[in-house]
Amino acid sequence: MRFTAGAKPTLQRHGRESTSGKKLVSACDAIRQEESRVYRYRRILVGLTLAERDQTTIRYAAMVSKMAASKTVHFIHVASRPEIPREIRDAYPEMLPPEDEVTEDRMVDLVRQHFDGNPDPRLIHDVVEGSPVTEILEVVRRNKIDLVLVGKTAGHQNSGLLPEKLARKAPCSVCVVPEGTAAKISNLLVAADFSDNSADAMEAAIAFARAVPLSSMTCLHAYWLPKVMHPAADCTDNRFHALLRRCAENRYREFISDFDLEGLSVIPLLQMEKRAANAVVRAVQTRQADLVVVGARGRTAAAAVLLGSVTERLISSTAVPLLAVKKKGTGLGFLEALLLKT
């Protein structure tokens, strides 16, 4: 998040700053200190399946809650109860255990074992029945959640479906954590196409880097040939490729100049690659990144609530945590209309 101090205080009398000026400076310092936290994530929602991968998800949520000084961490499990004929339920009610209570007890125990986060937040444990996407989105809307954090099972292609749907529809940022991920951030990679959405991603990445704290992070930009070119243009000419590279460098310098890095070193990684998702996957391996930050959509956004194709592919393919950044409230009207239909 960018900090704009506004007009600087000019309350100087006889070479000394007034009490009001000192208070204003102190307030500005406090805001800067808060900016070193990922404070935009004060309300976190953590989706649990009560499977083994939840251990990873809970530990990662604990780390983020510390960095963000979160006020609330809301754990939710969406259960599906088998259909039992009403006649049997009415005739033998004592045979049916209070499943919600049993499930909640399991959730509480799991959180107690693996959540070592900010000691101050209110922890909420919630068990609901229904469609996971619909129920989670309803809790997000009702509780004004800032960040949804969900796990992904390693090696299971379908395990990315729920995170993908949530990232597509949620009116807030979504973090997808693959099973087995360590709860640490040492090499941060942010992907940027220089759009407004990638500026949001850069702001979030800077906040994470300061909160760890990190001395540096990597900014990846994948560029390719212009979409409209004259048929006679020689795309194999080295001078043409050099010109494309210089254009990417100039755009990067213009993009990064908008951010107050305050000593944080951002290392540019400019790659000529038609498929941006492939460039990100390679960069994760070469830079040994353990967190990828992307905007929810890129330059071709038709509706900000919908997920970009690059982010969508990364959710299913990346082996490290992925933070898909949205400004809070993005597409909220669309979400409310969607929930009314379900």
Side-chain angles (χ1 to χ4, degrees):
M1 178 173 184
R2 283 186 203 126
F3 169 71
T4 305
K8 294 182 180 179
T10 57
L11 299 173
Q12 298 285 335
R13 296 187 183 129
H14 306 294
R16 293 188 300 175
E17 188 176 26
S18 71
T19 303
S20 299
K22 289 180 179 179
K23 288 181 179 179
L24 182 55
V25 170
S26 297
C28 291
D29 289 341
I31 292 174
R32 289 191 181 95
Q33 290 174 3
E34 277 298 297
E35 214 176 40
S36 68
R37 300 181 182 272
V38 193
Y39 79 94
R40 64 181 72 198
Y41 302 136
R42 290 300 177 90
R43 300 181 184 88
I44 298 177
L45 178 69
V46 185
L48 299 180
T49 61
L50 302 187
E52 188 173 349
R53 77 181 190 203
D54 285 346
Q55 299 177 20
T56 297
T57 309
I58 294 170
R59 292 191 189 109
Y60 208 87
M63 177 192 69
V64 174
S65 78
K66 276 184 179 179
M67 294 165 61
S70 301
K71 299 293 186 182
T72 304
V73 182
H74 193 136
F75 297 93
I76 184 171
H77 172 69
V78 183
S80 57
R81 181 172 293 183
E83 291 294 331
I84 300 175
R86 179 176 297 177
E87 294 83 359
I88 296 179
R89 294 201 306 267
D90 294 342
Y92 302 98
E94 70 283 355
M95 295 180 62
L96 301 176
E99 187 171 334
D100 289 353
E101 294 180 13
V102 172
T103 303
E104 186 172 338
D105 288 344
R106 288 177 58 196
M107 183 191 299
V108 170
D109 186 57
L110 197 61
V111 171
R112 185 182 298 114
Q113 290 181 53
H114 302 287
F115 187 85
D116 181 24
N118 178 26
D120 298 328
R122 177 187 175 208
L123 302 184
I124 300 173
H125 308 85
D126 203 2
V127 178
V128 298
E129 292 184 7
S131 162
V133 174
T134 301
E135 296 301 328
I136 290 175
L137 289 177
E138 173 58 29
V139 174
V140 168
R141 184 193 64 81
R142 189 171 61 243
N143 294 278
K144 300 179 180 178
I145 296 296
D146 302 310
L147 173 68
V148 176
L149 202 147
V150 290
K152 185 180 77 168
T153 303
H156 287 255
Q157 186 174 1
N158 290 336
S159 70
L161 293 179
L162 175 61
E164 183 180 307
K165 290 179 180 178
L166 289 174
R168 184 184 300 130
K169 298 176 180 178
C172 63
S173 299
V174 175
C175 184
V176 182
V177 184
E179 182 180 11
T181 296
K184 70 179 183 67
I185 301 173
S186 56
N187 293 295
L188 195 156
L189 174 71
V190 55
D193 65 356
F194 310 141
S195 64
D196 290 342
N197 286 294
S198 63
D200 295 337
M202 176 61 76
E203 289 176 345
I206 291 171
F208 267 96
R210 287 175 177 163
V212 173
L214 299 177
S215 60
S216 65
M217 67 181 194
T218 301
C219 177
L220 168 69
H221 172 65
Y223 63 95
W224 191 240
L225 304 175
K227 291 184 178 180
V228 181
M229 292 186 60
H230 193 278
D234 184 5
C235 299
T236 63
D237 184 76
N238 289 335
R239 290 175 300 176
F240 181 73
H241 283 202
L243 179 59
L244 286 177
R245 173 84 183 186
R246 286 198 298 273
C247 289
E249 290 172 348
N250 291 337
R251 292 180 64 203
Y252 170 78
R253 282 193 289 268
E254 182 180 354
F255 174 76
I256 202 67
S257 66
D258 286 338
F259 302 95
D260 185 2
L261 301 177
E262 293 185 356
L264 175 66
S265 173
V266 180
I267 303 167
L269 180 60
L270 307 178
Q271 294 189 352
M272 188 171 180
E273 169 61 63
K274 186 174 183 179
R275 300 184 183 278
N278 293 345
V280 173
V281 171
R282 282 201 306 271
V284 166
Q285 296 171 347
T286 58
R287 298 301 173 107
Q288 297 183 324
D290 46 23
L291 175 63
V292 176
V293 182
V294 296
R297 284 196 67 90
R299 284 190 170 274
T300 58
V305 70
L306 301 178
L307 194 62
S309 59
V310 173
T311 306
E312 196 167 294
R313 285 198 294 272
L314 288 173
I315 288 175
S316 62
S317 62
T318 187
V320 300
L322 176 77
L323 176 64
V325 177
K326 288 184 187 178
K327 283 194 174 182
K328 187 176 178 181
T330 298
L332 189 56
F334 177 88
L335 171 61
E336 290 173 341
L338 182 70
L339 291 173
L340 288 173
K341 292 179 181 180
T342 57

